[in-house]
Amino acid sequence: MEAVGLTKRYGGRTAVDEVSFSVSRGEVLGLLGPNGAGKTTAIRLLTTMLTPSSGQFRVAGVDCGKPNDIRRRIGVLPESAGYPEHHSGSEYLLYHARLFGLNRTDAAGTTERLLAEVGLADRASSAIATYSRGMRQRLGIARALVNDPAVVFFDEPTLGLDPAGQRQVLGIICDIAQRRGAAVVLSTHALTEVEDVCTSVLILRQGTVLAAGTVAEVIGTVAAQPTAQLRVPSDMIARAAESLASAPGLQLETTADTLRITLAPGGDGHVPDTNAVLRAVLDAAIPVLSFDLEGTRLSDAFLAMTSQEPR
Amino acid sequence: MRALALLAALGIVLIGPALPGTAAHAADTEPIEVSFDQTEVVVVIGQQFSLQSEVVNTGPIPAGARLAHLNVASLTGGVYVDPEDWSANRSLSVEPMAPGDSVPLDWDLHAVNAGSFDVYVVLLPNAAATAGTGPLIVSPPVHVTVTERRTLNPGGSLPTVIAVPVLLGLIAATIRYRGRRPARRDVF
Amino acid sequence: MSWYVVTAREWRDLWLGGRGPILMFALSILLSAITYLAATNQILNYLEQREAVNLTLQVAVAVGALVTLVVSADAISGERERATLESLLLAPVSRRAIVLGKLTAAVSLWLGAFAVAVPYLWALGRGVSALVPAMVTGLVVGTLLAVGLSAVGLLISIRSKSNKVSVSVSLFLLLALFAPTQLPTPHGAFGVFLDRLNPVAAALHYLTTVVVNGRGWTHDLSYLASSLAVALVGVPTLMILAPRIVHLVAGDHR
């Protein structure tokens, strides 16, 4: 799937502004951004629920001018999707499989297979009203797969789920990309999910792309210097600082029981090795209570990017 | 004194007919009677029935045109009578009658309320010159007793009235009950 | 093909989901009460047999139109509020197929209402020659009204920001159309014109003409012009506009 200069305007307000990206089969693209960044609008544009004000996109070789054909090739789990409460899970899937043109026999086979894949086979005949939120999300994922889509969109699929439910849903999403070979677009607030699942990310703010690339590339685009929080017994803070004083590229800041270490790059641009920092402290026979690195995770990059004043 | 008494008697003779309460005197000159053929009727509520009355000129001189007007009065407390509901045509014209003539009048009635009622006819002079004057001649009343109709199955509608909701209620309840149970087979 | 799947689903939801049968059950209670009262009045000679048939038929047509309009008013805006519309719009199904399925399902409620009314009409009108004309005329007139009002209800539902607004506007419209039927027979050219312009009042007038007055079905046929016009304009308008106006968000410019 490829989008070029995708833009959506509502009067004078631009919800999505010149967004371009591509995602290939087997990849998971994480769509990130604070509330109102334009993630859901972008997904609705790509799923033909909205028409772009300008720009183009292609899904599995189909141009955005053929929305019906695109819908045949995509699967979508919308944010906060609703379900007909009195339908059973199998009835619901069967109906959607038939909407995608499957005959009764094929639709029944697809329904049975998908319900088993998302772990709902034993509740297939139960009314959706009796499903938990996690079960509904899994049913929604199964619905998104009834047409064996080339691209699957997930809009906040883990919202409101407990940790076990989140893990289960993310496992299914990984499986969709890896085993089915579908391209996946995952919109989420949970940055750890993105690090765990996504092969690339796209960070949006106020409709514009702040960063795009692999997780490592996006983290690398943030100029923030990595820091470490070293906790040692409070009577050994001074000794710990002393042991690191001679190490190049370190800026030290002490509090009652913590040593904050900024890992500033040297003149050659090389960032000091955190292992060397730890080794120096341990060599001084100082017990390390904790050592936390900051500024090296996607969440750090995300916060650094999105907390800047908008243009 | 005698002369005064004569004058007074003359005044009474001359002025008397112009004073109210003296219509009966005029009626004496045109002795018309009106009466029904029966004195008592018992009907069921809703029933349509007829009463016959007759106007007879019993006097020696011709009688002028009259208007016969039917009225219904309720004798049962709390029962309101709208005579229009009882009869669509409550006024009939009676042509001038020669001495000894009689005119039959038929009245169609609809027993609208249950209870005890008196039906009577009033004859009024029916000419432009006599408008607003009497005398009024009233018939003896016919006592009409209207009994309640007690039926649980009006017009044979009861089976339908009960069976259809019962059947549809059972269907709706069955569908709702089946809807709550796990679906075994799907049609799509 | 897809229209068939959507239509079958809508019919199944309405009738096997329980809503349709419960509405029919409620209608049967109402018709039972009216039929019983009409039969009582009939044997008391307060009401002629033809009038009793006409009264029951008019109630069936009125309630049929009411439930059809309300179900149509809920069709799109209700799905929006229940967040089930998006998954339907995401399927490769034309918007026309979606509204057609919902339109036919809503009209099926009128057909159900008529089927429920048939035994009552028979109970009141057996033996009277007006019974068959009453049933045929009632079916035609009611179907015209139901199709037209359903199309209008769907258009209101599509354009309404919320389901509450959609149902309220539709009910107000229906009340506004029914209100003149409770007024005395209009006199004067303007009054008659207004009576003919109102599809509900004109349709009920036509029913009375055929059923009570015993006129031929062609006698006052012009009274059906307004309800025919609403159906003939409403349905094509709905079908033509559906692809452009059925959106995830009401009034969205897409």
Side-chain angles (χ1 to χ4, degrees), chain A residues 119-155:
Chain A
L120 289 174
D122 58 333
R123 296 294 303 275
S125 300
S126 303
I128 296 174
T130 65
Y131 284 17
S132 67
R133 181 165 173 82
M135 290 166 75
R136 286 170 191 236
Q137 288 297 75
R138 282 184 277 143
L139 181 67
I141 292 173
R143 193 202 62 77
L145 301 176
V146 288
N147 53 330
D148 197 15
V151 184
V152 190
F153 296 86
F154 294 99
D155 197 354

Side-chain angles (χ1 to χ4, degrees), chain A residues 239-286:
Chain A
R239 271 183 60 201
E242 201 177 305
S243 68
L244 295 172
S246 57
L250 298 183
Q251 293 168 10
L252 305 174
E253 205 180 314
T254 57
T255 62
D257 62 345
T258 308
L259 188 60
R260 185 176 177 82
I261 307 159
T262 301
L263 306 164
D268 57 354
H270 184 74
V271 178
D273 181 10
T274 51
N275 289 343
V277 173
L278 262 179
R279 200 176 304 117
V281 175
L282 293 170
D283 286 349
I286 299 168

